[in-house]
Amino acid sequence: MADAHAVHHDYHILPPSPWPLVASAATTLMMIGAVMWMKGLFGLPAGTSWVFFAGLAGVLFSMFGWWADVIKESHAGDHTPVVSLGLRYGMVLFIASEVMFFAGFFWMFFEMTLFNEARTLIPEFGNWTDTAAAWSTWPPAGIETLDAWQLPFLNTVILLLSGTTVTWAHHAIVVGDRKAAKVGLGLTVALGALFTAVQVYEYYHILHENLFFNEEALNSTLYGSIFFMATGFHGFHVLIGTIFLTVCLIRLLVGQMTPEKHFGFEAAAWYWHFVDVVWLFLFAFVYVIYG
């Protein structure tokens, strides 16, 4: 007699999981810790960072445990074609949400660059006169911009090269060439780490030389803020993508991933190409056209 509880559909019903609750609690703790670190809270002074890092540790632990469970479900055969399609839709929607995230930064940047002269038309009041004068030209008064064809161009070449190596690795997995996949993925991880190192050096140069924040640019500091926000969050995405690809490389080295089942790497490659495209827009507009 057939098992009355046997599942005869393509959907995977998840067992009870602690990770949504743990991740939510850890994220809340991390955000409270961020406020505490910057402003002080609950009687603790500004500069108290341990709460933030405790929350961050909880978030990382949740990510590790949650995604490890997803991998186990895949090995158990729970990722049917319908479930796999749902995972793909989820990754596409996640990347779409990231596009909107960066759209906000570009919106702010273009508002600054294209309509900066309009600020001078606002009637004079308070300290606005000096600010309007600073914004009457582009770049704003006192700002020393970077040479787009030095470190920014180097990072552009690095990211474009990493896009080719990750595509090579993906093709190698599809055709079953695990050795080439390991080499291509290893090169991509190395290039991602190199991009981060170059950006850290660039930031050090900006801050050490006071290119954006100095006495001459007292009324123009919004430029530096949006520059670091846009390029810094992109750099954070590169770091996350590098970790994502490193996990895929480790899984590949221990014998996981096959030509038929490798969505984890496929999702990482999609994310990496998204990071590449965002950087091309940043390089073109922030460094070259309006730099």
Side-chain angles (χ1 to χ4, degrees):
M1 182 176 178
D3 183 359
H5 299 287
V7 177
H8 301 290
H9 56 73
D10 291 330
Y11 298 93
H12 173 45
I13 307 301
L14 292 170
S17 172
W19 300 121
L21 178 61
V22 173
S24 299
T27 302
T28 301
L29 183 64
M30 184 173 68
M31 292 298 99
I32 292 174
V35 175
M36 189 178 297
W37 191 358
M38 292 183 286
K39 295 292 186 179
L41 194 66
F42 303 133
L44 294 175
T48 303
S49 61
W50 66 268
V51 177
F52 172 83
F53 286 107
L56 177 61
V59 170
L60 295 176
F61 177 72
S62 301
M63 292 166 61
F64 178 83
W66 203 336
W67 291 337
D69 284 352
V70 174
I71 294 172
K72 292 175 184 176
E73 292 163 7
S74 176
H75 292 324
D78 293 326
H79 289 180
T80 65
V82 173
V83 173
S84 296
L85 182 62
L87 291 172
R88 283 170 167 77
Y89 283 159
M91 191 64 194
V92 168
L93 291 173
F94 168 69
I95 292 176
S97 72
E98 294 290 282
V99 170
M100 295 299 101
F101 183 78
F102 280 99
F105 293 144
F106 279 108
W107 187 303
M108 181 62 188
F109 182 77
F110 288 137
E111 195 278 334
M112 288 165 38
T113 57
L114 299 177
F115 305 106
N116 59 294
E117 293 184 3
R119 292 180 174 82
T120 61
L121 304 178
I122 299 176
E124 298 182 4
F125 61 93
N127 296 325
W128 177 252
T129 304
D130 293 336
T131 302
W135 282 94
S136 62
T137 59
W138 186 265
I143 298 294
E144 297 182 50
T145 58
L146 298 169
D147 186 347
W149 304 106
Q150 294 186 8
L151 293 180
F153 180 70
L154 173 61
N155 261 350
T156 302
V157 173
I158 290 171
L159 269 194
L160 290 178
L161 182 58
S162 73
T164 64
T165 56
V166 77
T167 302
W168 171 33
H170 187 201
H171 176 73
I173 290 178
V174 170
V175 300
D177 188 349
R178 299 183 66 84
K179 181 178 180 181
K182 293 173 186 176
V183 173
L185 194 48
L187 287 173
T188 307
V189 170
L191 289 168
L194 180 59
F195 177 95
T196 300
V198 172
Q199 188 172 53
V200 168
Y201 178 78
E202 178 186 73
Y203 280 11
Y204 171 79
H205 171 70
I206 293 171
L207 297 174
H208 182 71
E209 300 295 331
N210 295 319
L211 300 184
F212 298 165
F213 304 104
N214 52 65
E215 291 185 2
E216 291 76 15
L218 286 178
N219 298 293
S220 310
T221 53
L222 185 60
Y223 177 91
S225 298
I226 193 63
F227 174 90
F228 283 117
M229 183 68 74
T231 61
F233 265 96
H234 174 269
F236 176 72
H237 280 71
V238 171
L239 180 60
I240 294 298
T242 303
I243 296 172
F244 200 172
L245 292 169
T246 300
V247 172
C248 292
L249 178 60
I250 293 172
R251 292 184 60 198
L252 195 61
L253 292 173
V254 299
Q256 298 180 14
M257 298 192 184
T258 64
E260 296 76 23
K261 293 184 73 69
H262 58 271
F263 174 68
F265 174 72
E266 194 174 352
W270 291 354
Y271 185 84
W272 197 253
H273 288 310
F274 157 73
V275 168
D276 284 353
V277 172
V278 171
W279 176 256
L280 290 178
F281 278 95
L282 286 171
F283 177 70
F285 292 106
V286 175
Y287 288 100
V288 178
I289 298 176
Y290 296 113

